[in-house]
Amino acid sequence: MRNYIVVACGIIAACQSAFAQKTDSSVNYNVYKSLLLREVYIQPGKSVSQSNEELQTGGLQALSDQILERNPGINMIRRGNFAMEPSIRSLSGGRITMTIDGMRIFGACTDRMDPVSSYIEPTNLESILVSFSPGEDLHGTSIGGGVDFKLKEPKFTEGSQLNGMVGSGFESNGNAGQLLAGIEYSSADFAFHADGIYRRSSNYHAGRGTEVFFSQYQKWNGNISVKAKTGLNSYIKADYVQDEGRDIGYPALTMDVGFAKAKIAALSYMQKDPETHTMWETKVYYNFIDHAMDDTRRPVEQVAMHMDMPGTSRTFGAFSSISFKLREHHYFKFQLDGFSNKLSAEMTMYPENAAPMFMYTLPDPARTSIGFDFSDKVFLNSRASIKIGGRLEYLHDFLFTQAGKDQVSGLYNGDISRQRWMKNLSIQGSFHVSPRFDLSAQVAAGARAPTLQEEYSFYIYDRLDGHDYIGNPQLKQEKSINLDLNANFHTKEFKAETNVFSYFLRDYITGSILPGYSTMTIGANGVKQFINISSARLYGAALALSWSPFPAFNITSTNTYTRGTDHRANALLLIAPLKSVNTVSFQAGRGTIFHVESVSNARQNRVNTELYGETPTKGSTILNFGASRNLLFTPAKVLKLSGGVTNLMDSQYSQHLDIMKVLRPGRNFFVRMTLLF
Amino acid sequence: MKKILLLIISATILLGSCKKDHKAEPEPVKIKIAEKTTSGGLRIALWADKSEFTVAYNKVYVSLAKPDGSEVNDASLTYHPLMNMISMQHSSPVEQPVYISTEHLYGGAVVFSMPSGEMGSWQLTVNVNNEPVVFDVAVAPLPSGTKYTGTFVGTDGNSYTVSLVEPVLPKIGINDIDVLVNRRADMMNFPADEGFIIELNPEMPSMGHGSPNNVNPAHKSNGHYKGKVNFTMTGDWRLHLKLKKGETVVVEDAALDLFF
């Protein structure tokens, strides 16, 4: 664990921060925070030192996507101005897991319009935990790690306390606005938290004044969390998040979204023993996503045929995880989990002068899973530690209705349900060469099951390569061997962190042209089916530098690069080019912080248009500027003000992971204020 | 540990909870179309699968009972459909009835090639032990946009009637398809033609796409060609049937339409 040098490991870190029962969990974060971030704390802090961070992430007013995008290892796949899809080291979709507080949740849209990150708001969150490796504190098998959104956790306090916040923000580009509020009550044995946010945006303008049509959105999100002590060291917690988006435009796609609704509920029981460093969490959860695409707002000449495309996703699950100190310098954690996910997506087309046409685009596929997860960390001496993590998971995929089975009878023969065992394993060694220099290396064996979409899609259109995709129940699981090397050098003024990684993938899942099949989508180029190709490789590096010659001044540079090739040395799809983010920040006087930032993406020429439909993307650089100030009325009452401009030069640009190269926003002035009380 | 056990149990239940529910197909109910009495006093009733005959391949059933109600199962029966038009008369393809002991009915089929109406009217003559019993039958047109039977002139100069026997109730996915081909020998005789090779190509006319994994209908018996058709969605479907004798294309596109 390269980022928390002192803190033992992620799990223990979580325990300890929980044990400490701090009212402000940002305390340990300033000291050990790494540049190549793993965990981003979201909750607004009252301290000035945190302001720069909040200014950069956009505070609570930014979308979860935008906060994720700040992580050097993450790029976002953009289909519009909303619901961007995270790509960790250019791995996305089924290759990474996305969970909310350990809960499995799956988007309902067949066109990947609703990644999990779109149903969660910064106001709901304590932190975002990013993992780059399988078999490590994850809640599912994966190739490339994943993202866990940690929900708000109200704290128990000695006396009773009532805290709150209200905030708002405005952005000139798209007339976007946010309104948010939160309240937290805490006492010795009861704690309550509630928050809500409303946000809306009209069409934004790309650089040089080009309006990007169908880039509007509006949504609200609410979250309630209740905690009650059941004993000296135990409590129960109930969480409920509801998120409803409406009238969301997707300029990169042929349809928009009428509504996207999520209801997420969880009940947890937590037992802790500070003596033995034991923490035992058991959670039962259910989530339901209801999603409907909409083409009625598009101009008639753009809509070849009106259609309705609703989809739902239901997940019920539970897990129980226990972590404890086995003996001195030896920490152990294991988890047993299970879930059942049911997807359904359909399409009804309305031709003129003919009968409506109905079919399932996802013919009621379901997945049930039982998983066992462990991690074991031993400190060999004061300098070296070893961590071993693993996961074993059993999966059963099937179609849960006869109608679904009937429909795919035209594509597949025989039993198309699948059962499989999945394995993830990772071993990591860390060594502190000197107080300033540490090294770590990790080898991991990853595996992931094909997604239900990859197994059972029924003519799902992909705008990127213009093909209808058919699933393949015969897909083998995708496997990988990952290597990861880190070297970090830290002094008081200077930090340098390097990270080199490679993924050797086998049975890589991708689309392959299915000859002789006629397309279903009007204007599609052909039909593809998901297949396994023998192998693929992904490798890359990250370099982060930070220099603080005096406390009020800081220069940071993070640079990331990935490159992917398939078994025939063709460039893989959706691989981000070299990206460099350079920031200068300084603190003027008491509590006013300025930062200037450049975000550059190199040109991406390594594409394979013939196989994957991608075209090269031009390089781009934008400049951002921001300032923030905390006004302290009383120690308990803080008004946080920030403002700035993104894309100062009004550049017209898009990045390689932007589907259909839809232009990103041009110059945007923003102001934000949050009152904490 | 109790909680872990509980979790295992609940997870097991979770896994086992994927029960399949099968709905029984409703029993086919026959509908009585008409009833007459022969000179010998036998009660003869005409039955169909639907409340009316349509321009399509129709199953036609007959029940035969003595005056005391007891069933007659050894009669010799033949069907003779006849269209009476102002200037002419013609018959249509027919499958002569045989006794079906499980149903206590004689079952055959008639392809009504046009609706009854101003153009003319249909009579179905049932010969019971050589005694003709004439029924006037109404043949309803099919809903517009559907075509279950058609007559196509082949390159060999013959007229062929191509009729869809199956699927009766099309569904999304793979369906059994059964096509009946009859050659017009003269206006009164339409023998089944067993010598074709048929290529099947389904299409959705409103979208222009087809579907994969169809199985060309191959001859089974008495002019019935059986294969598989894949309907990927509901809506309008056109079945393009190419009729070949050896390598010679006799009918390029015998197209039948249906929707569901």
Side-chain angles (χ1 to χ4, degrees):
Chain A
M1 189 120 210
R2 58 176 175 273
N3 304 313
Y4 291 79
I5 303 159
V6 178
V7 179
C9 65
I11 319 141
I12 307 305
C15 306
Q16 286 172 343
S17 64
F19 288 153
Q21 294 195 355
K22 291 181 291 288
T23 46
D24 184 351
S25 76
S26 64
V27 173
N28 61 355
Y29 136 81
N30 292 313
V31 185
Y32 311 118
K33 187 177 71 66
S34 148
L35 302 168
L36 299 172
L37 296 171
R38 285 180 76 118
E39 184 157 18
V40 182
Y41 284 88
I42 305 296
Q43 58 180 342
K46 289 174 181 173
S47 67
V48 173
S49 55
Q50 223 184 335
S51 298
N52 189 35
E53 217 57 49
E54 286 171 18
L55 177 62
Q56 288 189 41
T57 57
L60 298 173
Q61 280 86 347
L63 289 160
S64 303
D65 315 347
Q66 289 160 341
I67 294 175
L68 273 173
E69 195 170 18
R70 301 291 315 178
N71 189 305
I74 293 183
N75 284 284
M76 302 304 279
I77 302 167
R78 240 175 109 95
R79 296 176 173 84
N81 206 19
F82 186 81
M84 285 147 256
E85 188 188 350
S87 160
I88 300 178
R89 290 178 177 167
S90 297
L91 295 170
S92 62
R95 296 191 174 96
I96 59 173
T97 59
M98 271 201 276
T99 51
I100 297 172
D101 245 0
M103 299 183 277
R104 303 305 303 267
I105 174 167
F106 300 89
C109 176
T110 50
D111 290 355
R112 292 163 80 167
M113 284 173 164
D114 67 337
V116 169
S117 44
S118 70
Y119 292 118
I120 204 86
E121 284 286 336
T123 44
N124 310 151
L125 297 179
E126 198 79 27
S127 67
I128 301 177
L129 187 63
V130 179
S131 163
F132 295 99
S133 174
E136 189 190 300
D137 308 336
L138 286 176
H139 300 273
T141 47
S142 79
I143 295 286
V147 181
D148 189 33
F149 296 92
K150 299 279 182 200
L151 288 176
K152 271 276 187 192
E153 173 112 24
K155 312 285 185 296
F156 295 120
T157 51
E158 304 254 315
S160 69
Q161 273 185 21
L162 188 66
N163 293 304
M165 65 166 185
V166 288
S168 70
F170 177 75
E171 293 173 37
S172 66
N173 196 346
N175 283 324
Q178 306 91 28
L179 275 177
L180 58 96
I183 192 159
E184 187 163 321
Y185 170 79
S186 46
S187 66
D189 49 14
F190 179 80
F192 169 84
H193 168 90
D195 63 69
I197 185 165
Y198 171 77
R199 55 171 86 239
R200 66 166 298 282
S201 174
S202 308
N203 287 344
Y204 70 85
H205 285 74
R208 289 180 241 138
T210 318
E211 183 172 356
V212 178
F213 293 102
F214 316 111
S215 61
Q216 81 289 347
Y217 62 82
Q218 56 174 300
K219 78 174 290 190
W220 66 264
N221 169 296
N223 169 32
I224 294 174
S225 172
V226 183
K227 243 168 91 170
K229 268 201 176 157
T230 49
L232 187 63
N233 290 317
S234 66
Y235 62 85
I236 53 167
K237 182 181 182 227
D239 294 287
Y240 179 71
V241 180
Q242 188 167 346
D243 187 283
E244 298 203 358
R246 213 167 265 289
D247 185 22
I248 305 163
Y250 288 80
L253 303 177
T254 53
M255 291 179 87
D256 302 315
V257 162
F259 61 80
K261 301 178 188 175
K263 295 181 171 74
I264 301 158
L267 188 65
S268 323
Y269 176 73
M270 185 81 84
Q271 203 172 351
K272 296 192 264 196
D273 184 357
E275 298 277 301
T276 56
H277 286 245
T278 303
M279 187 163 85
W280 188 357
E281 182 183 13
T282 303
K283 193 188 290 268
V284 186
Y285 60 91
Y286 177 76
N287 57 67
F288 172 61
I289 292 179
D290 193 5
H291 189 270
M293 286 187 241
D294 176 30
D295 59 8
T296 57
R297 306 216 170 193
R298 296 289 174 113
V300 178
E301 63 274 13
Q302 279 183 20
V303 181
M305 188 183 295
H306 167 59
M307 59 186 80
D308 289 330
M309 294 185 72
T312 55
S313 168
R314 293 171 168 81
T315 310
F316 168 69
F319 66 82
S320 188
S321 94
I322 184 163
S323 58
F324 51 89
K325 189 161 109 178
L326 206 60
R327 53 175 198 266
E328 205 57 37
H329 308 305
H330 192 167
Y331 298 88
F332 194 76
K333 174 189 178 180
F334 67 88
Q335 172 172 311
L336 193 65
D337 54 61
F339 74 87
S340 157
N341 171 239
K342 286 180 172 181
L343 296 176
S344 184
E346 58 185 55
M347 170 164 86
T348 308
M349 292 173 282
Y350 301 92
E352 280 179 46
N353 309 318
M357 296 176 278
F358 169 89
M359 64 174 213
Y360 290 101
T361 46
L362 281 177
D364 295 340
R367 166 169 289 174
T368 52
S369 146
I370 290 185
F372 172 74
D373 205 295
F374 78 95
S375 81
D376 187 21
K377 176 142 185 168
V378 188
F379 289 88
L380 301 172
N381 52 46
S382 62
R383 289 182 154 192
S385 65
I386 286 182
K387 185 181 172 190
I388 298 171
R391 181 174 172 82
L392 187 65
E393 187 170 354
Y394 167 82
L395 289 178
H396 179 211
D397 300 344
F398 56 96
L399 302 185
F400 66 90
T401 64
Q402 190 58 41
K405 288 176 196 168
D406 284 348
Q407 179 172 308
V408 299
S409 65
L411 286 182
Y412 320 117
N413 291 321
D415 182 15
I416 57 164
S417 69
R418 292 301 306 271
Q419 298 177 41
R420 57 181 110 226
W421 285 95
M422 317 283 305
K423 290 188 291 285
N424 281 177
L425 199 63
S426 78
I427 177 161
Q428 182 188 31
S430 301
F431 185 64
H432 297 296
V433 180
S434 75
R436 290 179 170 178
F437 187 53
D438 62 286
L439 293 170
S440 70
Q442 185 178 47
V443 183
R448 64 119 178 165
T451 61
L452 291 175
Q453 285 83 352
E454 286 163 339
E455 283 182 308
Y456 301 113
S457 276
F458 199 79
Y459 292 92
I460 291 179
Y461 182 63
D462 185 344
R463 187 82 196 277
L464 192 62
D465 62 359
H467 279 73
D468 282 335
Y469 274 75
I470 290 180
N472 180 359
Q474 301 304 321
L475 282 176
K476 287 180 273 189
Q477 55 180 277
E478 192 177 282
K479 296 163 282 288
S480 72
I481 298 291
N482 307 346
L483 301 176
D484 210 310
L485 295 169
N486 299 285
N488 299 333
F489 178 77
H490 287 222
T491 67
K492 204 174 172 198
E493 298 85 30
F494 182 71
K495 288 184 201 174
E497 299 175 8
T498 58
N499 165 227
V500 183
F501 55 86
S502 57
Y503 298 79
F504 299 92
L505 295 134
R506 282 172 296 135
D507 293 324
Y508 183 83
I509 297 170
T510 186
S512 167
I513 287 176
L514 205 53
Y517 276 56
S518 69
T519 60
M520 187 158 293
T521 307
I522 295 165
N525 301 328
V527 176
K528 283 188 178 180
Q529 184 168 35
F530 292 102
I531 58 154
N532 294 106
I533 59 172
S534 60
S535 66
R537 267 194 308 173
L538 183 81
Y539 50 95
L543 170 69
L545 301 166
S546 167
W547 184 47
S548 242
F550 43 93
F553 182 80
N554 180 262
I555 300 180
T556 306
S557 173
T558 57
N559 305 278
T560 49
Y561 177 72
T562 47
R563 181 164 166 163
T565 52
D566 71 9
H567 61 311
R568 295 203 176 92
N570 297 304
L572 290 180
L573 191 64
L574 294 172
I575 302 293
L578 177 67
K579 180 181 181 181
S580 178
V581 180
N582 298 285
T583 312
V584 178
S585 65
F586 59 96
Q587 191 176 328
R590 287 174 54 244
T592 308
I593 286 170
F594 296 93
H595 87 107
V596 184
E597 176 187 67
S598 73
V599 179
S600 303
N601 279 271
R603 186 179 171 84
Q604 180 58 290
N605 280 327
R606 293 185 45 79
V607 295
N608 193 310
T609 310
E610 196 190 336
L611 274 181
Y612 302 117
E614 271 191 330
T615 53
T617 307
K618 278 189 243 167
S620 65
T621 295
I622 59 160
L623 284 178
N624 301 325
F625 169 78
S628 85
R629 185 174 172 83
N630 281 11
L631 299 173
L632 207 67
F633 297 125
T634 69
K637 205 175 276 184
V638 178
L639 179 65
K640 302 162 74 74
L641 293 171
S642 63
V645 53
T646 52
N647 194 357
L648 187 68
M649 309 306 284
D650 205 25
S651 306
Q652 199 175 64
Y653 77 110
S654 60
Q655 295 180 5
H656 186 61
L657 267 51
D658 298 347
I659 305 292
M660 305 306 286
K661 306 212 191 309
V662 168
L663 295 171
R664 291 205 167 207
R667 188 183 297 125
N668 178 31
F669 294 94
F670 65 90
V671 286
R672 287 166 186 149
M673 53 179 249
T674 309
L675 178 68
L676 306 175
F677 55 89
Chain B
M1 280 324 272
K2 261 185 197 164
K3 286 200 188 66
I4 293 177
L5 264 177
L6 214 85
L7 194 82
I8 294 172
I9 293 165
S10 62
T12 317
I13 293 167
L14 217 89
L15 265 181
S17 65
C18 43
K19 295 237 162 50
K20 300 154 185 90
D21 46 342
H22 290 289
K23 269 185 196 149
E25 286 287 316
E27 285 281 317
V29 177
K30 306 275 186 294
I31 292 163
K32 193 188 276 184
I33 300 287
E35 191 165 4
K36 289 204 169 177
T37 309
T38 64
S39 58
L42 292 177
R43 280 220 319 280
I44 172 169
L46 211 54
W47 302 78
D49 289 324
K50 289 179 284 185
S51 60
E52 57 185 2
F53 294 123
T54 53
V55 181
Y57 174 93
N58 294 265
K59 288 266 171 65
V60 179
Y61 308 92
V62 159
S63 63
L64 213 52
K66 292 179 184 159
D68 63 3
S70 63
E71 181 194 3
V72 181
N73 58 20
D74 56 354
S76 116
L77 285 186
T78 55
Y79 293 164
H80 292 286
L82 188 68
M83 180 75 200
N84 287 302
M85 299 172 79
I86 295 154
S87 58
M88 59 176 285
Q89 289 183 325
H90 66 80
S91 182
S92 68
V94 63
E95 292 184 338
Q96 295 305 339
V98 290
Y99 184 72
I100 312 163
S101 56
T102 51
E103 305 246 6
H104 305 283
L105 288 170
Y106 299 82
V110 178
V111 177
F112 292 109
S113 50
M114 58 186 285
S116 46
E118 287 175 13
M119 297 281 284
S121 53
W122 284 99
Q123 281 181 342
L124 179 63
T125 305
V126 183
N127 287 312
V128 186
N129 298 327
N130 294 324
E131 184 195 341
V133 180
V134 180
F135 292 92
D136 291 319
V137 291
V139 175
L142 281 176
S144 68
T146 61
K147 184 177 179 182
Y148 272 69
T149 181
T151 301
F152 305 89
V153 179
T155 50
D156 58 2
N158 286 318
S159 273
Y160 295 96
T161 303
V162 180
S163 311
L164 192 66
V165 179
E166 296 259 19
V168 177
L169 295 167
K171 61 176 173 39
I172 305 181
I174 283 283
N175 290 259
D176 290 326
I177 185 172
D178 180 356
V179 174
L180 174 66
V181 182
N182 298 81
R183 180 177 58 86
R184 186 168 75 196
D186 55 48
M187 296 305 270
M188 294 299 149
N189 289 291
F190 298 79
D193 199 313
E194 308 186 339
F196 282 109
I197 293 163
I198 298 183
E199 286 175 17
L200 164 68
N201 234 321
E203 184 208 354
M204 297 207 86
S206 46
M207 298 185 75
H209 68 70
S211 68
N213 303 328
N214 297 285
V215 178
N216 286 331
H219 187 258
K220 290 289 179 251
S221 63
N222 305 320
H224 285 263
Y225 296 76
K226 293 186 179 179
K228 302 271 186 196
V229 59
N230 181 13
F231 296 128
T232 48
M233 60 177 88
T234 68
D236 293 87
W237 283 93
R238 175 161 290 170
L239 303 173
H240 296 287
L241 298 159
K242 183 185 278 190
L243 273 53
K244 299 198 296 190
K245 287 241 157 109
E247 286 303 302
T248 313
V249 176
V250 179
V251 178
E252 177 63 41
D253 185 13
L256 300 178
D257 294 329
L258 58 92
F259 79 84
F260 62 100

